[in-house]
Amino acid sequence: MELHIKNTFSKELPADKVIENTRRQVHDACFSYVTPKKTAKPKLLHVSDDMLKEIGLTKSDSESDTFLHVVTGNEIYKNTHPYAMCYGGHQFGNWAGQLGDGRAINLFEIQHNNKQWALQLKGAGETPYSRTADGLAVLRSSIREHLCSEAMFHLGVPTTRSLSLSLTGDQVLRDVMYNGNATYEKGAVVSRVAPSFIRFGNFEILAARKHINTLQTLTDYTITHFYPEIKSEGKQKYLDFLTHVRNNTIEMIVHWQRVGFVHGVMNTDNMSILGLTIDYGPYGWLEGFDYEWTPNTTDAQHKRYRFGNQPYIGMWNLYKLANALYDLIGNAEPLQGILDEYEAIYLDKYIKMMHQKLGIQTPTEASKKMISELERVLQLTETDYTIFFRKLSYVSKNDTPTILFEKVKDAFYTIEALQGDVLNTWTAWFTSYLFILNSEIIDDSSRARAMNLVNPKYVLRNYMAQLAIEEADNENYTRISELYELLKKPYDEQTENEKWFAKRPEWARNKIGCSMLSCSS
Ligand code: AMP
Ligand code: MG
């Protein structure tokens, strides 16, 4: 197995001078060198063949002992020096101080096909940033991260990727619902990949500690490697940087709203500076369309990170990033100006995206009104977000509201609820939608094709991941590959996989792991 190693982060940024792996506050450094923990009995469960190719490896490389040992932390690839990053963050609205890679260890960076990839192990043991936790990860959360990051990539959502999923052979103690019922679970490691894993929190910690030179070095590094399109100099460069991060963050969140992804823990330490979806923890997929929904039971009371609040939180987090960059600029006004534009840019992109989902080419006041009415109607009774939009592509300009209702009715969880006022409201919406379609030139089949490129047929429904987890607990790993393959083509009709194009089964409605997840992982 030969990799083209090209380390930039650890070469160009200041390292922690202390080399002992003890839990502590790490000052004026971007990372600390650490060694991953050796595992008892590493076993590779799944490899993303797609990601493998991206970094220049072959299937036979992935079957080698070196691969297994490198991606589980048991062997350090030649001439490389693993490290954990230092970052802080705002968690649930409050400054939490130093957080850092408590259980993520960066192995090295790879250069392939003119792309730079950082490879990181999640669950590979303690680092100086582990605080009171063990640095490990369990199988259930690792399956969820592995499958979902790859599924998101194939949906076209900006995301970190996952190369491999392995068992460590070690046991890990976890209290899933934080109710005093800790049990041992199987330990696992995911090797994940991204151009960079830098977060908003990497900047925040340096600003909070007034390590302004290092803050500037990190910002310059990020711009040089990941925002090379920024050509300005001096303060303008940092303002342009914030503008780019703002735009990428908006882009990512519009995609989340499009596919019905709820991240669950949008703390600033979980916000990628590249606008990638990062840290798959208590995330979930919308089944019934509901702005109020969050899968994260740790956030059940205030629902800060609920589906409908994600766009606002993106802006809130950018305020924290802007604060962190303040010392590089020394003037709040232009920073404020960049943030002030957030809402209008978001809304513009969101509205365009919703028009695409509905197959409308020319937005008008009437179509915008129809969209906001749809958001209301969808919440009158439990309506499956994915099925509704996918089935809507069957619409024909000649349909009557009744025929259209027949076409999408599989999306409703309780069809009996579609009566009286609710039915009348839906009929009115169908009528206005058909009216707008008839004002457009595009024909039915072209519209259907366009809609099917933005409305996925298959997403990683919460219960699907849970099925894979329960089977893997019993040493049956076939479901992991099955779902991985299914979700590689989420927009395709896959007749053999029709069973996954169905509403969530009733047993999964309130099941832990399906609709209820905690941060325990
Ligand atoms: P999260 O909420 O998963 O983004 O984690 C917040 C912080 O807690 C990050 O600094 C993580 O590295 C750290 N963390 C989470 N789980 C563990 C663990 N099992 N061991 C050590 N650190 C952890
Ligand atoms: Mg995190």
Side-chain angles (χ1 to χ4, degrees), residues 87 91 99-104 129-131 133-136 174 265 267 269-270 279 519 521:
Y87 56 80
Q91 298 188 312
L99 297 165
D101 286 333
R103 55 158 166 187
Y129 311 97
S130 297
R131 296 179 295 154
D134 56 12
L136 304 174
R174 285 288 181 274
V265 215
N267 293 333
D269 52 300
N270 291 337
D279 279 10
C519 287
S521 56

Side-chain angles (χ1 to χ4, degrees), residues 447-465:
R447 184 190 335 98
R449 263 199 308 280
M451 288 172 80
N452 286 343
L453 294 176
V454 291
N455 295 318
K457 177 150 182 173
Y458 304 105
V459 296
L460 183 62
R461 287 173 184 275
N462 311 306
Y463 84 92
M464 290 161 65

Side-chain angles (χ1 to χ4, degrees), residues 377 380-381 412 416-428:
V377 189
L380 288 179
T381 67
F412 298 112
E416 303 76 44
L418 275 284
Q419 295 187 13
D421 281 353
V422 175
L423 185 59
N424 292 339
T425 315
W426 266 112
T427 305

Side-chain angles (χ1 to χ4, degrees), residues 161-289:
R161 306 283 304 272
S162 181
L163 174 65
S164 67
L165 165 72
S166 311
L167 280 172
T168 58
D170 296 307
Q171 296 286 97
V172 175
L173 194 61
R174 285 288 181 274
D175 184 357
V176 180
M177 281 295 140
Y178 299 124
N179 57 6
N181 291 318
T183 50
Y184 278 100
E185 298 186 42
K186 292 179 187 175
V189 175
V190 161
S191 70
R192 55 183 191 176
V193 192
S196 170
F197 288 96
I198 300 175
R199 301 136 191 274
F200 288 14
N202 295 66
F203 300 84
E204 288 179 275
I205 191 74
L206 295 169
R209 289 169 168 169
K210 292 281 169 204
H211 294 148
I212 307 305
N213 286 340
T214 308
L215 173 68
Q216 185 163 9
T217 311
L218 174 69
T219 313
D220 289 341
Y221 166 85
T222 310
I223 295 170
T224 305
H225 290 278
F226 308 108
Y227 289 99
E229 62 278 24
I230 298 178
K231 301 284 183 225
S232 46
E233 295 288 336
K235 293 177 180 176
Q236 190 57 41
K237 171 161 87 162
Y238 304 120
L239 292 171
D240 291 346
F241 173 58
L242 182 65
T243 304
H244 279 72
V245 179
R246 176 199 67 194
N247 293 348
N248 285 353
T249 303
I250 290 175
E251 182 78 17
M252 170 184 79
I253 296 175
V254 171
H255 278 290
W256 289 359
Q257 306 306 99
R258 171 175 67 85
V259 298
F261 175 80
V262 185
H263 182 284
V265 215
M266 291 175 73
N267 293 333
T268 56
D269 52 300
N270 291 337
M271 294 295 290
S272 146
I273 203 69
L274 307 185
L276 306 172
T277 313
I278 191 172
D279 279 10
Y280 290 86
Y283 69 82
W285 289 85
L286 266 200
E287 287 167 321
F289 180 89

